[in-house]
């Protein structure tokens, strides 16, 4: 089971004022963002018209990670903080560890084409709950680490302890609560302890499910179990003994994946080449998205639709990029790169 170092949870539990939670909440924003590039890339690597069920499952999870990023940002704004999105260090180094040293020193996340092994070894490790429903093996817990769910539960408990006094009513106009992308019962204003607790519940439930059910809602599985379906190749169903990946097939055509070079960097390509030009344009657009999100979370919440719209434009650029050979005649195509660039 993937873990984050106990020190990050301890820092939350030792907080004495709202300002002490600024750093942990910024960490949470960075963590939620850090899963988007690998999930986005896995979807982009799937050839259009093939593996549509898999593509749809991962795309929906990716959008919920954006929702979680918005929720964490709203909580930080609500207690007087300012989310920092378009700055060096916000984007993780891929391949490398996720924020807060998630998974320990041996767990690295890269930017790679889709494979079932990637889903099992990386995506399911990221999303694994504190108490997985017994449809797969449960890994041994490392004593110096705690789960992502435990981190959020610690934040929740500390907010309850510090009380409504840490919330600033003047923050309401700066919170991101309007737009066409997320339901109003999932992205809403954080006005005090009750709304903050409810918002954190959404993050945990959508990612992990509950200790008694793999579902985030009656008909929607939590992320971990959706990835489990993809890896198993079958839908999760209720059985007399619990749950099993024994439902309708979720087929995978391994010929429907572009042969991407993993973990591409712009410096690897010759300036002026088609590969360099298209990758540079993609990186520029990605950083434009970070700028738009930063603006959205720092005084212009009405820009959420425009920011998410940029994410869809990025997908269009990705479609052209993943069909571009790394060099003329090469069997490999250019993979995506999420490098920080000041724009």
């Amino acid at each position: 089971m993937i873990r984050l170092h106990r020190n990050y949870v301890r820092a939350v539990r030792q907080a004495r004022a709202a300002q002490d939670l600024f750093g942990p909440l910024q960490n949470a924003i960075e963590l939620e963002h850090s899963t988007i590039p690998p999930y986005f890339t896995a979807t982009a690597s799937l050839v259009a018209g093939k593996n549509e069920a898999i593509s749809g499952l991962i795309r929906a999870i990716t959008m919920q990670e954006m929702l979680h990023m918005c929720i964490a940002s709203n909580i930080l704004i609500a207690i007087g903080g300012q989310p920092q999105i378009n700055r060096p260090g916000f984007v993780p180094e891929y391949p490398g560890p996720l924020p807060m040293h998630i998974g320990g020193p041996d767990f690295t996340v890269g930017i790679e084409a889709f494979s079932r092994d990637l889903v099992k070894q990386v995506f399911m490790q990221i999303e694994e709950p504190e108490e997985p429903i017994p449809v797969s093996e449960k890994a041994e817990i490392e004593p110096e680490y705690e789960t992502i769910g435990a981190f959020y539960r610690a934040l929740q408990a500390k907010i309850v302890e510090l009380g409504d006094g840490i919330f600033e009513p003047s923050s309401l106009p700066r919170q991101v609560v309007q737009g066409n992308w997320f339901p109003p019962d999932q992205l809403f204003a954080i006005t005090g302890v009750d709304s903050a607790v409810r918002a954190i519940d959404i993050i945990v439930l959508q990612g992990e499910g509950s200790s008694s059910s793999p579902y985030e809602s009656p008909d929607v599985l939590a992320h971990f179990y959706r990835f489990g379906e993809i890896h198993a190749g079958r839908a999760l169903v209720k059985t007399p003994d619990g749950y099993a990946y024994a439902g309708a097939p979720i087929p995978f055509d391994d010929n429907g994946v572009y042969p991407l070079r993993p973990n591409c960097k712009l410096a690897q390509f010759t300036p002026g080449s088609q590969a360099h030009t298209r990758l540079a344009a993609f990186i520029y657009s990605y950083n434009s998205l970070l700028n738009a999100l930063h603006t959205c979370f720092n005084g212009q919440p009405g820009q959420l639709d425009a920011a998410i719209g940029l994410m869809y434009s990025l997908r269009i650029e990705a479609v052209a990029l993943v069909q571009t050979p790394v060099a003329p005649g090469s069997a490999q195509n250019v993979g995506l790169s999420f490098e920080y660039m000041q724009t």
Side-chain angles (χ1 to χ4, degrees), residues 1-3 39 102-103 107 118-129 137 139 148 224 227:
M1 179 183 291
I2 191 171
R3 302 279 164 171
Y39 294 173
I102 293 292
F107 185 74
L118 178 68
V119 170
K120 177 67 173 178
Q121 301 302 324
V122 179
F123 296 175
M124 290 183 70
Q125 292 295 306
I126 291 172
E127 303 285 358
E128 189 169 3
E137 293 183 2
I148 296 171
F224 175 76
F227 281 136

Side-chain angles (χ1 to χ4, degrees), residues 142-220:
E142 299 176 75
E144 73 272 24
Y145 286 84
E146 296 207 33
T147 64
I148 296 171
F151 171 77
Y152 276 115
R153 292 306 183 198
L155 272 173
Q156 206 172 44
K158 182 56 63 172
I159 287 170
V160 171
E161 177 188 327
L162 294 176
D164 286 326
I166 66 173
F167 294 91
E168 298 186 0
S170 62
S171 74
L172 280 175
R174 295 188 289 115
Q175 292 187 45
V176 181
V177 295
Q178 297 178 344
N180 300 313
W181 302 100
F182 304 115
D185 61 343
Q186 295 182 13
L187 185 61
F188 44 81
I190 307 300
T191 58
V193 169
D194 290 345
S195 53
V197 166
R198 184 156 52 99
I200 293 174
D201 279 340
I202 290 170
I203 295 176
V204 175
L205 191 62
Q206 288 186 344
E208 302 185 356
S210 71
S211 60
S212 60
S213 171
Y215 290 89
E216 62 168 83
S217 63
D219 299 315
V220 181

Side-chain angles (χ1 to χ4, degrees), residues 1-288:
M1 179 183 291
I2 191 171
R3 302 279 164 171
L4 59 90
H5 201 279
R6 188 179 296 273
N7 287 344
Y8 291 99
V9 178
R10 185 180 295 119
V12 173
R13 291 173 178 155
Q14 292 176 345
R16 294 293 177 264
Q19 290 84 349
D20 297 332
L21 294 179
F22 289 180
L25 282 165
Q26 178 67 31
N27 287 339
I29 294 166
E30 293 176 10
L31 173 63
E32 299 300 342
H33 162 266
S34 71
T35 64
I36 294 173
Y39 294 173
F40 183 98
T41 301
T43 305
S45 72
L46 296 172
V47 177
K50 298 184 178 181
N51 300 312
E52 289 294 329
I54 292 173
S55 179
L57 285 167
I58 301 178
R59 186 175 293 120
I61 290 171
T62 305
M63 283 303 296
Q64 284 191 328
E65 297 296 352
M66 181 64 78
L67 168 64
H68 299 171
M69 183 180 170
C70 290
I71 291 172
S73 295
N74 274 350
I75 296 173
L76 178 54
I77 293 167
I79 64 172
Q82 294 181 306
Q84 300 299 307
I85 310 298
N86 61 348
R87 68 176 190 185
F90 179 82
V91 182
E93 180 69 26
Y94 301 104
L98 295 183
M100 297 189 283
H101 302 99
I102 293 292
D106 297 327
F107 185 74
T108 61
V109 176
I111 301 298
E112 306 174 37
F114 174 88
S115 71
R116 279 181 165 160
D117 281 346
L118 178 68
V119 170
K120 177 67 173 178
Q121 301 302 324
V122 179
F123 296 175
M124 290 183 70
Q125 292 295 306
I126 291 172
E127 303 285 358
E128 189 169 3
E130 291 184 76
E131 300 179 29
I133 303 298
V135 291
S136 59
E137 293 183 2
K138 183 175 180 179
E140 186 175 333
I141 295 175
E142 299 176 75
E144 73 272 24
Y145 286 84
E146 296 207 33
T147 64
I148 296 171
F151 171 77
Y152 276 115
R153 292 306 183 198
L155 272 173
Q156 206 172 44
K158 182 56 63 172
I159 287 170
V160 171
E161 177 188 327
L162 294 176
D164 286 326
I166 66 173
F167 294 91
E168 298 186 0
S170 62
S171 74
L172 280 175
R174 295 188 289 115
Q175 292 187 45
V176 181
V177 295
Q178 297 178 344
N180 300 313
W181 302 100
F182 304 115
D185 61 343
Q186 295 182 13
L187 185 61
F188 44 81
I190 307 300
T191 58
V193 169
D194 290 345
S195 53
V197 166
R198 184 156 52 99
I200 293 174
D201 279 340
I202 290 170
I203 295 176
V204 175
L205 191 62
Q206 288 186 344
E208 302 185 356
S210 71
S211 60
S212 60
S213 171
Y215 290 89
E216 62 168 83
S217 63
D219 299 315
V220 181
L221 284 171
H223 297 180
F224 175 76
Y225 303 99
R226 278 187 259 176
F227 281 136
E229 289 184 319
I230 293 171
H231 180 259
R234 286 191 174 273
L236 185 102
V237 293
K238 187 80 169 66
T239 69
D241 300 323
Y243 296 90
Y245 295 116
I250 299 177
F252 171 54
D253 178 0
D254 56 9
N255 292 316
V257 182
Y258 290 110
L260 304 188
R261 175 185 287 182
N263 305 312
C264 286
K265 304 294 182 188
L266 186 62
Q268 297 170 347
F269 300 95
T270 303
S273 66
Q274 186 180 58
H276 186 279
T277 300
R278 287 185 172 176
L279 186 57
F282 179 85
I283 293 170
Y284 183 90
S285 295
Y286 167 64
N287 281 270
S288 296

